[in-house]
Amino acid sequence: MAPAKDFTLSELVIAAASEAWRDDNELLVTGIGPVPRIAAGLAKLTYHPGLQMTDGEAWLTEDPVPVGPRGDYKARYSGWMPYRRVFESVWSGRRHAMVTPVQIDRWGQGNISMLGDNLEKPKVQMLGVRGFPGNSVCHKNSMFLPSHTKRTFVEGEVDVVASLGFKKDTWPANAPEDFVEIGLMVTNLCVFDFNGPDHAAQVLSLHPGVTFDEVQDNTGFELLKAEGMNETPAPTQEQLDIIKRLDPTDVRAKVLKDNPPGIRAA
Amino acid sequence: MNKEMSLKSVVAELRDGMTIGVGGWGPRRKPMALIREIMRSDLKDLTIVAFGGPEVGMLAAAGKLASAKYGFVSLDFIPIEPYFRKMRQDGTLKVQELDEGLLYLGLRAAGNNTPFAPTRVGPGSAVMKMNPELKTIRSPYGDQEELLAMPAIHLDAALIHVSRADRTGNTLTFGPDPFFDEFFARAAKKVYVTTEELVDSVASENPEDMKANLFEPYLVTGVVDAPLGAHPTTSHYSYGWDASHLKEYAASAKEDNGWQTFFDKYIADGEESYRDAVGGDDHIRALPIPTI
């Protein structure tokens, strides 16, 4: 289908993020936050019916539940996924989450726990490590970062390693080669991954009007250009229609600062 | 065998320095009436173990805690519990921060009478620095993989809120998610439940109803009749969390003397006056269950 002409940057980002599960087997998908949730629903409805997801509480639904106030929408439940079963799924590896750390470093390590270097007295107490340590060594994780800056993509190492990355000297002895799997990194500027040489970060696509130098200037570590690096594709009208159905109250308009258009004004 | 107790008689069985587990999850199904009774007591130096919600922040603010061991401390719609955040940033709350799954594994190991549970989770993450007592082991099999030996988390007491109970310790817990109440119960020397509804017998001709029974009555030490006792947290399907009350609680953390003012206004004078002060029983019963 032809690309749509009129779309916002958040809609472009959602369509790009929906590619994260393209090569996965049937598994549990957890999108934390509106963009990951809409993106997961979009993936399920456009190319991967085998993705399984919850209503955000403890029920599996075959039709992805819209984000925001539900209005007249009535969910239909097809399975049960209480947290105890979520952990069983995590530890089995049959899950692929999309999450939003506050800090990420060159190794792909993520931090949501706290800021500062004194564990007894954080500068800023954040969420704690939550399930990130386990998620990061049990199943693949992709990430959505709404603000691509050096505050997010830090120089040096994250303050607290909540999720592991490819800093292999910190891995336990005899860990398997695929101990950590990081999928797509989707930001307001670009899409990248950690599949460069020695798991270096490499840019896969730049959003329309964004230059590689701009992305590099806003990243605290060196980026490579992936072979075939191109422009992030615009969403199709079909994708836009599904995005609107999954987000009827336009929660996505509040995700990126100033809700910019998908193609930058010249 | 009559296990009925009062809030006060449960608290009288607790001791300074105990490790106390609390069931529920964030702002859901917390035995808050019992937590408030602890706040009104002289108990101190407790270690609380929880998938934490307001009970962790409140007990910390009330000066009851030596330490908090948690997977998280959150009110969900207020992502970081306000007094937990404040006291952490002031350096006045000692914590043992764990991966959520590690908390589950530690409780399960205690209930299984094993010293630890092996897992891939933990090594390489900050959890090892945040809990310096954690140790790893090598797989004794050919792979020789290094794993965390997650130590058993033994509880002196577990406090759990249920939907319906009788005096012999049969309990039913309604709602979409049983969370980890079963594992708190199995990890504890004593289990005290508060219940929305105390009945003569939970028995039913419909065995399906009994899937809401999360743990055996032989584990239950005491049953406290505590209708609306989970307020301000959700008690499925009876009432939802009280967002406006929790917002006022969160705002108090930013004010001088905020905790004392909040405590005096709502908690100090006992449970009956608590329910009146927060808006009355009908108000609590009408609180909608939030959708995520």
Side-chain angles (χ1 to χ4, degrees), chain A residues 80 113 125 129-130 173-174, chain B residues 88-89 97 100 126 144 146 176:
Chain A
W80 190 39
S113 175
Q125 175 65 49
V129 297
R130 295 216 61 153
N174 300 322
Chain B
R88 280 284 283 149
Q89 291 177 181
E97 183 168 304
E100 295 167 8
Q144 291 283 306
E146 183 184 11

Side-chain angles (χ1 to χ4, degrees), chain A residues 57 70 80 82-84 87 91 113 119 122 124-126 128-131 133-134 160-161 164 170 172-174 176, chain B residues 25 28 72 80 85 88-89 97 99-100 104 120-121 123-124 126 130 138 144 146 176-178 180 182-183 292:
Chain A
E57 194 89 38
R70 302 241 174 111
W80 190 39
Y83 281 114
R84 185 175 158 189
F87 288 127
W91 298 331
S113 175
L119 296 176
V124 179
Q125 175 65 49
M126 303 190 300
V129 297
R130 295 216 61 153
V160 167
V161 179
L164 277 68
T170 70
N174 300 322
Chain B
W25 178 275
R28 294 175 184 78
F72 57 82
I80 300 153
R85 168 176 253 173
R88 280 284 283 149
Q89 291 177 181
E97 183 168 304
D99 171 277
E100 295 167 8
Y104 167 30
R120 280 186 171 170
V121 180
M130 292 166 156
R138 289 293 180 103
Q144 291 283 306
E146 183 184 11
D177 198 320
F180 299 87
E182 171 186 348
F183 302 94
I292 309 303

Side-chain angles (χ1 to χ4, degrees), chain A residues 98-111:
Chain A
M98 183 175 283
V99 296
T100 298
V102 175
Q103 292 180 320
I104 293 163
D105 63 26
R106 70 188 61 195
W107 298 281
Q109 299 180 123
N111 176 23

Side-chain angles (χ1 to χ4, degrees), chain A:
Chain A
M1 191 177 273
K5 289 202 172 58
D6 187 24
F7 53 90
T8 65
L9 184 58
S10 69
E11 289 163 345
L12 174 119
V13 161
I14 289 165
S18 78
E19 287 298 312
W21 298 276
R22 178 68 71 175
D23 300 324
D24 287 344
N25 293 319
E26 277 194 54
L27 44 61
L28 178 69
V29 168
T30 306
I32 311 276
V35 163
R37 267 183 69 183
I38 301 166
L42 183 60
K44 183 175 173 73
L45 294 175
T46 52
Y47 71 86
H48 202 330
L51 300 179
Q52 287 143 39
M53 51 195 70
T54 74
D55 65 340
E57 194 89 38
W59 309 108
L60 289 166
T61 64
E62 285 173 347
D63 191 27
V65 170
V67 298
R70 302 241 174 111
D72 292 337
Y73 180 87
K74 283 260 182 278
R76 281 173 56 80
Y77 305 107
S78 49
W80 190 39
M81 193 45 102
Y83 281 114
R84 185 175 158 189
R85 263 165 76 169
V86 172
F87 288 127
E88 298 299 335
S89 170
V90 167
W91 298 331
S92 79
R94 294 294 293 271
R95 184 186 193 228
H96 180 169
M98 183 175 283
V99 296
T100 298
V102 175
Q103 292 180 320
I104 293 163
D105 63 26
R106 70 188 61 195
W107 298 281
Q109 299 180 123
N111 176 23
I112 53 166
S113 175
M114 51 161 273
L115 297 179
D117 52 16
N118 183 354
L119 296 176
E120 312 290 319
K121 191 173 186 283
K123 265 191 212 146
V124 179
Q125 175 65 49
M126 303 190 300
L127 295 172
V129 297
R130 295 216 61 153
F132 269 41
N135 293 352
S136 65
V137 300
C138 294
H139 61 69
K140 191 190 262 189
N141 292 277
S142 291
M143 304 185 199
F144 162 65
L145 294 309
S147 174
H148 193 134
T149 66
K150 287 183 177 177
R151 287 167 60 108
T152 303
F153 296 106
V154 297
E155 294 170 19
E157 191 171 13
V158 292
D159 291 358
V160 167
V161 179
S163 55
L164 277 68
F166 300 106
K167 200 178 184 196
K168 293 192 179 180
D169 60 346
T170 70
W171 291 9
N174 300 322
E177 260 314 293
D178 62 354
F179 194 54
V180 171
E181 288 186 276
I182 297 178
L184 285 189
M185 308 289 295
V186 182
T187 82
N188 60 317
L189 298 181
C190 71
V191 180
F192 71 97
D193 67 17
F194 284 94
N195 295 337
D198 294 327
H199 294 289
Q202 58 173 5
V203 177
L204 302 173
S205 70
L206 299 163
H207 300 343
V210 177
T211 64
F212 180 85
D213 288 348
E214 180 185 354
V215 177
Q216 182 63 75
D217 289 347
N218 285 288
T219 307
F221 48 86
E222 191 190 348
L223 297 170
L224 304 177
K225 295 177 184 172
E227 202 181 311
M229 182 182 79
N230 57 9
E231 186 176 272
T232 309
T236 65
Q237 192 56 49
E238 183 205 9
Q239 286 177 315
L240 285 183
D241 291 344
I242 294 172
I243 289 169
K244 278 176 192 141
R245 180 149 77 77
L246 294 174
D247 178 21
T249 57
D250 207 12
V251 174
R252 64 193 178 284
K254 298 183 196 77
V255 170
L256 300 180
K257 190 172 179 290
D258 302 329
N259 193 28
I263 297 173
R264 282 185 182 181

